């Protein structure tokens, strides 16, 4: 969630500001990958290698598919449109954060 304000500001700055903001966003997003991977490994302690392989494989596969889709869409709609769409993608993390969570008694919404 820390990258959301920086990502939303990217389309409204000049090229130097955009490079700085994108660097900050990339750094913040990369910081969250390791703790998520460790948490997933704790959920399945007997299959640490499988969990790690799935995380890296799915991350690389989805990023390749996303790049191809965004490139095709950029050919049709233009770079400005794609830049605006990509700047809003970290908001999906906020949406996932607001999903219901499971407790012993059932689900609750934070």
């Amino acid at each position: 969630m820390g990258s959301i304000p920086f990502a939303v500001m990217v389309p409204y700055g000049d090229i130097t500001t955009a490079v700085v903001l994108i660097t900050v966003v990339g750094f913040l997003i990369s910081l969250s990958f390791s703790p998520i991977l460790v948490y997933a490994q704790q959920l399945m302690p007997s299959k640490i290698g499988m969990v790690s392989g799935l995380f890296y494989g799915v991350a690389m596969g989805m990023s390749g598919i996303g790049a191809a889709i965004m490139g095709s869409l950029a050919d049709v709609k233009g770079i400005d449109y794609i830049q605006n769409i990509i700047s809003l993608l970290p908001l999906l993390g906020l949406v996932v954060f607001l999903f219901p969570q499971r407790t012993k008694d059932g689900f609750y919404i934070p």
Side-chain angles (χ1 to χ4, degrees):
M1 290 188 334
S3 66
I4 292 172
F6 300 109
V8 171
M9 289 189 297
V10 168
Y12 304 107
D14 59 351
I15 188 69
T16 306
T17 307
V19 168
V20 170
L21 290 172
I22 289 170
T23 303
V24 170
V25 169
F27 181 71
L28 289 172
I29 290 175
S30 69
L31 282 176
S32 67
F33 187 78
S34 296
I36 292 170
L37 181 61
V38 169
Y39 178 68
Q41 289 173 343
Q42 288 177 352
L43 291 175
M44 298 180 72
S46 62
K47 300 189 187 284
I48 289 177
M50 182 192 74
V51 171
S52 300
L54 280 173
F55 258 76
Y56 281 105
V58 169
M60 297 302 163
M62 293 302 287
S63 62
I65 291 170
I69 291 171
M70 291 295 178
S72 298
L73 200 55
D75 289 340
V76 175
K77 296 280 190 176
I79 295 296
D80 293 335
Y81 178 78
I82 294 300
Q83 186 177 11
N84 289 328
I85 296 296
I86 290 175
S87 72
L88 298 176
L89 285 179
L91 288 173
L92 290 175
L94 182 62
V95 171
V96 170
F97 178 74
L98 296 175
F99 279 175
Q101 297 177 6
R102 184 166 179 112
T103 63
K104 288 183 179 180
D105 302 331
F107 289 99
Y108 76 97
I109 298 175

